Amino acid sequence: MVRILLRFSEKIVEQPITSQIILELKVPINIITASINSKGGEILAEIPDAALEKTVKAFRRKGVTVSLPKLIEVDTEKCFSCGACVALCPVEAITLAEDFSIVFNKEKCVGSTCSACVDACPARAIKSVKQSNSELTSNLH
Ligand code: SF4
Ligand code: SF4
């Protein structure tokens, strides 16, 4: 699966673009987060690798700005369990286990659209990285 970030301007935000594309391309689009109001909107979504190119093109044809957000990686070797990232994470993607080791749930994490933990970590144990299928995504940046 690949994560894509969709940005809708005020001009197009009221159009049912995402549902049109799901129906037209028959692509399962898994919406992870959405923030939409009358001035515009942003959707973080996940789509199958094989559908990436045609889906991105379809959104861009309809005037949507598409980018490929980075993902978060946690180096547990560097972590000293200060808890700063745990307190900041808005979706509980980082938690501390009973033994105070850090547990990272990458499915819950919203990636570089948040990055709160990256800046907060005093040990530089957390970083943003390009999505691993970068070959697939390189010509879509
Ligand atoms: S980037 Fe945001 S959502 Fe992801 S683990 Fe860090 S604080 Fe949580
Ligand atoms: S902020 Fe860094 S050092 Fe502190 S618990 Fe999180 S990963 Fe570990």
Side-chain angles (χ1 to χ4, degrees), residues 36-91:
I36 294 169
N37 61 37
S38 59
K39 291 199 164 64
E42 192 174 276
I43 290 178
L44 177 66
E46 207 168 47
I47 53 175
D49 292 11
L52 177 65
E53 193 167 348
K54 67 177 178 181
T55 308
V56 169
K57 283 182 178 166
F59 274 111
R60 285 180 176 163
R61 271 199 301 274
K62 291 180 188 286
V64 180
T65 304
V66 185
S67 59
L68 300 162
K70 289 183 175 176
L71 302 180
I72 298 300
E73 256 182 27
V74 182
D75 182 345
T76 52
E77 298 291 310
K78 286 185 180 171
C79 170
F80 61 93
S81 304
C82 73
C85 57
V86 177
L88 280 173
C89 183
V91 293

Side-chain angles (χ1 to χ4, degrees), residues 72 74 85 88-94 104-105 108-118 126:
I72 298 300
V74 182
C85 57
L88 280 173
C89 183
V91 293
E92 295 182 0
I94 301 188
F104 176 53
N105 182 336
K108 277 190 177 179
C109 172
V110 297
S112 59
T113 55
C114 166
S115 292
C117 57
V118 177
I126 311 178

Side-chain angles (χ1 to χ4, degrees), residues 13 15 21 24 27 35 38 77 94 118 122 125 133:
V13 74
Q15 297 173 26
I21 288 176
E24 280 168 21
V27 171
S35 158
S38 59
E77 298 291 310
I94 301 188
V118 177
N133 30 16

